[in-house]
Amino acid sequence: MDAGSLNSYSNLKGQSRCPLQEQLLHRKNSKENMDRFIPNRSAMDFDYAHYMLTDGRKIKENQTVCSPAREAYRKQLAETLNMNRTRILAFKNKPPAPVELFPSEHSTASAHPTKSAKPRRHIPQSSERTLDAPDLVDDFYLNLLDWGSSNVLAIALGNTVYLWDASDSSTSELVTVDDENGPVTSVGWAPDGRHIAIGLNNSEVQLWDSASNRQLRTLRGCHRSRVGSMAWNNHILTTGGMDGQIVNNDVRIRSHVVETYRGHQQEVCGLKWSASGQQLASGGNDNVVHIWDRSMASSNSSTQWLHRLEEHTSAVKALAWCPFQSNLLATGGGGGDRTIKFWNTHTGACLNSVDTGSQVCSLLWSKNERELLSSHGFTQNQLTLWKYPSMVKMAELTGHTSRALYMAQSPDGCTVASAAGDETLRFWNVFGVPEVAKTAPKVNREPFSQLNRIR
């Protein structure tokens, strides 16, 4: 293909695909192609079918008035020989009859009622929504997707950052950077869900106000090359670069660099602060995971790590702090490793290691259950839901045709968005609906409490 035809192809591709538009035509669901009914031959009685189509019809047509006793005998005979069936074709096998394990006379259920078991949650096997994500950079080391506390999803597509509002499914463009600065290499919402940080290929980080669509400032001098990972801790924005450095930036002050962590020899591709904001986990292309403690941070010199974890044999991008056990960290290795490992970050001990069989691109804990979701690359490009701590597979969600590089979780913890090298953004209702919070007890108000007091 020559250059001219290549350009026309890219132009045609750009015209035909709009960012974050729903793929209505390509969506597959359980009701698709269900207009054909094919009989199940193994479940059919061909002798009975032949009888009903020939002799049975003749008997009905030539039936004459007979005595009540003879009619009763005929009905009894038909019942015994199972001749009262009306259907000839069978489309599925009958379910097997339930087996009674314990005779009813020996049952003690009435005497000792058992606690009702929690009903098993239905996990949809297909995505509930699929959006186009043209020009999504297929790079394992970047972090191009984040879901903010205001229920707005941010995704970087090439040089442009788009915002998708989950409350009304509206899409807006936040910023398009120049070619000499781009592409965008990371995005990260601040805890307030309004401000967002954008890491660039030219080593700079931009801070934007999404409500006013206004750039607030540019952070320079943090790194010498692209910024592929970011993590917020209140007003501290931590950035990780291809130069192996990790920098804490206080976005409130002019001289924003307040701490520098040096420990990785290659690109830092994963950063996550613990819920308490006390410990930082970092993963790099040098196959190393570091745990940094905020209390050990020093502004004068590079900070020493708390733990250096070297058990992975490939790049570590996937990091996830457990929401129900503060010192539990899950990490995932790349294509040469394929394992999920669990760590006690107080002691640095590896608690468990599970071989997943494929590259681990991202990890997310459920906020409502003791479950962990992982996204993968070759060969299935699937999302796998695990029960913790048994690590039994609960479900495998397929649909992506290229590695599922990025995942983000909705604020309520129910929905997960995944973006892949196939340039699609898929939404999965994988974690279920959280239990309804108990209503607060009514407070007995004192009389006339709604009136202003006279002082």
Side-chain angles (χ1 to χ4, degrees):
M1 184 180 290
D2 59 11
S5 59
L6 196 65
N7 290 334
S8 63
Y9 170 76
S10 61
N11 292 335
L12 182 64
K13 180 181 177 183
Q15 292 172 4
S16 61
R17 296 184 65 192
C18 297
L20 306 186
Q21 294 298 307
E22 189 157 11
Q23 293 187 344
L24 297 176
L25 296 178
H26 303 294
R27 184 177 178 182
K28 293 185 178 180
N29 55 52
S30 58
K31 296 182 179 179
E32 192 172 273
N33 297 329
M34 295 294 286
D35 57 337
R36 297 182 65 221
F37 297 90
I38 303 175
N40 185 350
R41 297 179 181 275
S42 63
M44 289 171 55
D45 186 341
F46 283 95
D47 290 334
Y48 174 73
H50 182 267
Y51 168 78
M52 287 300 296
L53 290 172
T54 56
D55 297 339
R57 184 177 297 276
K58 291 177 184 177
I59 290 175
K60 285 188 177 181
E61 290 173 354
N62 301 329
Q63 212 169 28
T64 57
V65 179
C66 57
S67 65
R70 188 178 181 84
E71 180 65 19
Y73 170 77
R74 188 189 63 79
K75 287 183 178 180
Q76 184 67 33
L77 183 63
E79 185 71 29
T80 304
L81 298 177
N82 195 22
M83 303 293 284
N84 288 330
R85 290 172 285 171
T86 57
R87 286 190 176 184
I88 296 175
L89 299 179
F91 298 99
K92 57 184 178 180
N93 292 320
K94 290 184 178 180
V99 178
E100 190 174 1
L101 298 178
F102 300 100
S104 56
E105 60 267 20
H106 299 297
S107 176
T108 58
S110 57
H112 302 283
T114 57
K115 186 178 179 181
S116 59
K118 188 176 181 180
R120 187 171 181 177
R121 186 176 85 249
H122 171 65
I123 303 171
Q125 299 297 298
S126 58
S127 57
E128 62 175 340
R129 184 191 293 263
T130 302
L131 304 182
D132 270 321
D135 300 322
L136 181 76
V137 179
D138 186 359
D139 192 325
F140 176 80
Y141 304 101
L142 305 185
N143 292 271
L144 304 179
L145 184 70
D146 197 23
W147 204 327
S149 59
S150 296
N151 207 18
V152 177
L153 188 83
I155 184 170
L157 302 178
N159 291 354
T160 305
V161 175
Y162 292 94
L163 305 180
W164 184 81
D165 193 329
S167 61
D168 59 7
S169 301
S170 62
T171 303
S172 60
E173 180 182 323
L174 179 66
V175 58
T176 298
V177 300
D178 296 333
D179 287 337
E180 58 265 25
N181 298 329
V184 176
T185 51
S186 55
V187 293
W189 283 104
D192 61 8
R194 173 171 175 166
H195 299 96
I196 186 171
I198 301 172
L200 301 177
N201 193 56
N202 71 344
S203 80
E204 295 179 354
V205 177
Q206 295 182 358
L207 297 181
W208 283 75
D209 183 342
S210 65
S212 61
N213 231 53
R214 183 170 59 95
Q215 184 178 352
L216 303 177
R217 67 181 299 186
T218 300
L219 306 181
R220 297 183 176 90
C222 312
H223 301 278
R224 297 188 300 274
S225 52
R226 72 179 186 182
V227 182
S229 56
M230 295 189 296
W232 284 90
N233 186 1
N234 293 322
H235 54 272
I236 298 294
L237 173 63
T238 305
T239 57
M242 185 182 268
D243 55 11
Q245 289 196 159
I246 300 169
V247 178
N248 281 349
N249 301 272
D250 189 334
V251 299
R252 303 170 301 176
I253 59 179
R254 185 177 183 86
S255 301
H256 50 86
V257 177
V258 291
E259 285 114 22
T260 301
Y261 302 152
R262 293 183 176 90
H264 289 284
Q265 301 304 312
Q266 296 187 43
E267 182 167 16
V268 180
C269 47
L271 283 175
K272 284 289 188 302
W273 279 100
S274 63
S276 65
Q278 192 61 33
Q279 290 187 333
L280 172 70
S282 64
N285 193 31
D286 53 5
N287 312 342
V288 174
V289 175
H290 282 116
I291 306 297
W292 313 85
D293 196 288
R294 189 77 204 280
S295 61
M296 300 169 61
S298 170
S299 57
N300 300 324
S301 60
S302 59
T303 303
Q304 181 67 22
W305 58 79
L306 178 64
H307 298 295
R308 179 180 172 90
L309 312 174
E310 301 179 284
E311 278 79 350
H312 281 291
T313 58
S314 189
V316 184
K317 173 194 172 188
L319 305 168
W321 290 92
C322 179
F324 52 84
Q325 190 173 333
S326 60
N327 63 325
L328 178 61
L329 174 72
T331 62
D337 180 270
R338 306 182 303 276
T339 66
I340 298 175
K341 299 185 188 296
F342 298 90
W343 310 88
N344 181 332
T345 60
H346 288 171
T347 64
C350 183
L351 305 175
N352 192 13
S353 180
V354 178
D355 188 351
T356 67
S358 58
Q359 179 186 52
V360 183
C361 301
S362 186
L363 290 170
L364 285 175
W365 286 96
S366 169
K367 297 179 181 180
N368 310 314
E369 303 286 346
R370 297 196 170 211
E371 298 168 1
L372 179 69
L373 184 68
S374 56
S375 71
H376 297 269
F378 183 82
T379 59
Q380 285 188 279
N381 311 306
Q382 83 280 13
L383 275 62
T384 303
L385 183 64
W386 309 84
K387 188 69 178 174
Y388 185 84
S390 66
M391 292 305 287
V392 172
K393 286 185 184 179
M394 299 180 63
E396 286 200 333
L397 313 178
T398 57
H400 284 299
T401 56
S402 182
R403 53 185 180 173
L405 291 169
Y406 319 111
M407 284 200 302
Q409 192 172 12
S410 61
D412 64 6
C414 300
T415 306
V416 169
S418 62
D422 58 11
E423 297 189 342
T424 65
L425 177 64
R426 293 176 181 266
F427 295 83
W428 313 84
N429 185 17
V430 61
F431 285 139
V433 180
E435 294 183 6
V436 179
K438 293 181 179 179
T439 56
K442 291 184 178 180
V443 179
N444 293 325
R445 294 188 174 186
E446 57 181 284
F448 309 107
S449 60
Q450 73 274 17
L451 301 178
N452 293 329
R453 294 180 184 269
I454 300 175
R455 298 184 183 276

